Amino acid sequence: MNALLINPWICDFSAYDLWSKPLGLLRIASFLKRLKVKVSLIDCLDRFHPQLDKFLNGRTLTKSTSGSGSYYSEVIDKHSIFKDIPRRYKRYGLPIEIFEKLLRETKRPDIILVTSGMSYWYLGVFEAIKILKKRFPSVPIILGGIYANICFDHAVKNSNADFVYRGTDIKEILGAISKLTEEEFDYSLIKKENLYLAYELYPKLAYITLRTSSGCPFKCSYCGWYLLDDRLKQEDPDFVISEIEYFYNKFRIRDFSLYDDALLYRAEDHIVKILHGLVKKKIKAFFHTPNGLHVRYINEKLAKLLRETGFIQPRLGLETTNEERQIVTGGKATNKEFLKAIECLREAGYSSKEIGVYIMAGIPGQSIEEMEETVKFLSSCRVRIFLEEYSPIPNTPDYKRSGLMPDADPLFHNNIAFSYLYGQDRLHEVKDLVHRLNKR
């Protein structure tokens, strides 16, 4: 049996590769391979794909030494919803020419699995499915991922996929594959040990992205992760250590990005054990936390351990310094907890340039003045500020406050579209302030 896995393009006004990888797709691939399925992967967002070189004409994509950087992109026509937004709309990722060439070089699959990212990126998903249907007209396509889960009805009606999967249960996904292909799997082949993510499917690797847990104990009003996975499940620390060691030794990877939503939760039973294991294994790597760390759980001991094990430029999640909004949005952090975390990180040896803090702009009901107060407060703390524009996520409390209809086209979830179309045009003032203070 042959399976083809696809990570489609991003269609948006802007996009940046912050160590992004299709973790769900790679997890499915590892199970399929264990079940003796021949798996092929085409990641349209692979910035390091060898066939991309000729399109760069000697240029290099802007990238840091840690592997993050800019995507290759091409300007495309804007959807009519975006007609009044004075910005260029782009397709980020491999040129379609490369995608079609890779499909021609791929043996006819028995099943195709397409994942999806943000709900408002669905145009890239639809384009990939259209091309796949043309190339392999009789091969069933399963669509999953974030968009498929959050906007399930929209995906069923419009994607042209043969089956849209909603959920995170690997056995259900395998069951859907078995039903569509009439292939019987020998599930006794699946064992927990050494079932690492299938990164060997990539022609070239610059970094490894992992999750040591799924779910999140918080239900923040602006975040919809609990709609995808409402149970917090932390991996066995020994398994995480062995997976990192495997990629460290076999692929000589030195940059690891941990995409947990609650990496520090129950720290003594999870991340502390992992970090001590890495020290014992003498693994000298760099670790990145693009999803942000919960400041509530950072103490002196943990801060020193993070520093010792190579967690560079830790990013913290604060969102706002407005105490009332902190409570309304879920009570994830307080200003007192934030200041204590900063103090612990500085005592551990982190400098102002290394400490980054995420804040949100454009939350329904949030004034420009409130955003500016947050920015000025963080500047006084001498930390680097990362501004995240609010994106409406269906079925969350803040979505209901946003003014969007429940069945609004997912393109309206786009953070830039939302800010332009719903009276947040002054956000540029906050962005300019952040830029000036970060330079200082």
Side-chain angles (χ1 to χ4, degrees):
M1 180 178 176
N2 294 295
L4 173 60
L5 279 54
I6 304 292
N7 186 30
W9 302 278
I10 293 172
C11 290
D12 204 342
F13 295 99
S14 64
Y16 187 83
D17 177 18
L18 207 61
W19 306 286
S20 176
K21 283 289 183 286
L23 298 182
L25 206 61
L26 292 174
R27 180 168 173 260
I28 294 170
S30 64
F31 276 84
L32 289 174
K33 292 187 69 175
R34 181 62 64 86
L35 293 170
K36 307 300 182 183
V37 176
K38 295 180 180 178
V39 180
S40 300
L41 169 70
I42 300 179
D43 185 350
C44 294
L45 299 180
D46 182 5
R47 294 172 37 247
F48 300 96
H49 199 288
Q51 295 198 29
L52 188 57
D53 291 343
K54 68 176 183 179
F55 284 85
L56 296 176
N57 294 321
R59 296 179 294 113
T60 57
L61 297 173
T62 303
K63 60 180 181 294
S64 67
T65 55
S66 62
S68 63
S70 302
Y71 290 110
Y72 177 85
S73 64
E74 296 175 350
V75 176
I76 59 175
D77 292 336
K78 286 186 285 191
H79 191 280
S80 59
I81 287 175
F82 301 141
K83 61 182 176 61
D84 295 326
I85 298 178
R87 293 187 58 170
R88 294 188 301 175
Y89 196 66
K90 297 180 180 179
R91 182 196 306 109
Y92 293 87
L94 298 178
I96 287 181
E97 181 180 328
I98 291 180
F99 181 64
E100 292 179 331
K101 182 175 183 293
L102 292 173
L103 290 180
R104 290 194 297 270
E105 296 171 352
T106 300
K107 183 179 179 181
R108 182 187 179 280
D110 299 294
I111 189 73
I112 300 174
L113 281 71
V114 179
T115 191
S116 58
M118 299 298 188
S119 58
Y120 49 88
W121 292 345
Y122 75 79
L123 293 178
V125 175
F126 287 9
E127 189 162 15
I129 291 176
K130 181 180 178 180
I131 294 171
L132 289 165
K133 285 284 186 180
K134 183 178 179 180
R135 178 66 186 171
F136 305 114
S138 60
V139 178
I141 296 177
I142 297 178
L143 172 62
I146 296 174
Y147 156 70
N149 274 267
I150 291 178
C151 301
F152 179 76
D153 292 338
H154 186 274
V156 170
K157 182 179 179 181
N158 300 287
S159 68
N160 201 27
D162 297 282
F163 182 84
V164 179
Y165 176 74
R166 177 165 54 182
T168 58
D169 191 324
I170 192 72
K171 290 185 178 179
E172 289 183 2
I173 299 171
L174 295 174
I177 295 172
S178 181
K179 184 177 180 179
L180 288 169
T181 60
E182 299 182 354
E183 181 82 16
E184 291 292 331
F185 291 132
D186 180 4
Y187 290 105
S188 66
L189 295 172
I190 299 177
K191 296 179 181 179
K192 177 68 177 179
E193 57 269 19
N194 298 326
L195 201 57
Y196 306 138
L197 294 180
Y199 275 103
E200 65 275 8
L201 296 174
Y202 281 89
K204 184 179 179 181
L205 286 170
Y207 59 83
I208 291 290
T209 297
L210 301 172
R211 249 193 218 113
T212 75
S213 63
S214 59
C216 181
F218 295 94
K219 291 187 177 180
C220 298
S221 61
Y222 47 80
C223 178
W225 191 252
Y226 64 91
L227 300 173
L228 302 175
D229 194 350
D230 62 354
R231 296 176 300 170
L232 177 71
K233 181 180 181 298
Q234 294 178 314
E235 293 280 6
D236 179 352
D238 289 335
F239 173 77
V240 176
I241 294 166
S242 68
E243 188 171 27
I244 292 173
E245 183 182 28
Y246 171 76
F247 292 120
Y248 181 85
N249 290 327
K250 183 167 183 176
F251 295 94
R252 304 193 62 79
I253 295 296
R254 295 298 178 263
D255 283 279
F256 293 84
S257 176
L258 302 181
Y259 255 88
D260 294 59
D261 283 277
L263 182 65
L264 306 185
Y265 188 67
R266 297 173 183 161
E268 290 297 325
D269 294 326
H270 186 63
I271 188 62
V272 170
K273 290 183 177 180
I274 293 171
L275 300 185
H276 280 309
L278 296 177
V279 172
K280 188 176 180 179
K281 296 282 187 178
K282 297 182 179 180
I283 292 175
K284 301 292 184 181
F286 301 108
F287 295 91
H288 311 277
T289 56
N291 265 16
L293 300 173
H294 286 82
V295 298
R296 178 170 297 167
Y297 306 117
I298 297 177
N299 53 37
E300 292 181 10
K301 176 183 174 182
L302 183 55
K304 290 178 181 177
L305 195 53
L306 291 171
R307 183 72 175 179
E308 180 184 359
T309 48
F311 278 71
I312 60 174
Q313 300 178 344
R315 299 192 180 199
L316 312 179
L318 181 64
E319 279 50 88
T320 178
T321 57
N322 183 281
E323 294 181 353
E324 182 179 345
R325 194 169 303 284
Q326 287 173 345
I327 296 172
V328 171
T329 55
K332 184 178 76 172
T334 66
N335 295 336
K336 183 178 180 180
E337 290 167 337
F338 169 73
L339 291 173
K340 178 63 177 176
I342 294 296
E343 179 184 349
C344 291
L345 290 171
R346 285 217 167 89
E347 289 180 359
Y350 287 102
S351 68
S352 294
K353 288 183 179 181
E354 292 175 291
I355 302 172
V357 181
Y358 286 120
I359 63 172
M360 290 196 70
I363 301 173
Q366 187 181 35
S367 67
I368 294 294
E369 290 70 28
E370 178 188 324
M371 300 177 218
E372 290 178 338
E373 287 174 7
T374 297
V375 171
K376 292 174 182 177
F377 175 85
L378 293 181
S379 179
S380 71
C381 296
R382 294 180 295 113
V383 294
R384 186 171 181 180
I385 305 165
F386 292 93
L387 188 71
E388 297 291 315
E389 292 182 59
Y390 170 73
S391 297
I393 300 175
N395 299 314
T396 59
D398 278 334
Y399 185 93
K400 297 173 184 177
R401 302 185 190 109
S402 71
L404 284 174
M405 297 297 290
D407 59 349
D409 191 300
L411 292 179
F412 282 108
H413 305 164
N414 186 294
N415 56 336
I416 294 174
F418 183 76
S419 65
Y420 269 98
L421 301 177
Y422 283 83
Q424 296 287 347
D425 54 326
R426 288 184 60 199
L427 281 182
H428 72 274
E429 298 175 18
V430 184
K431 294 178 183 178
D432 290 343
L433 178 62
V434 168
H435 180 69
R436 292 198 306 273
L437 295 179
N438 274 342
K439 285 186 67 175
R440 184 187 304 175

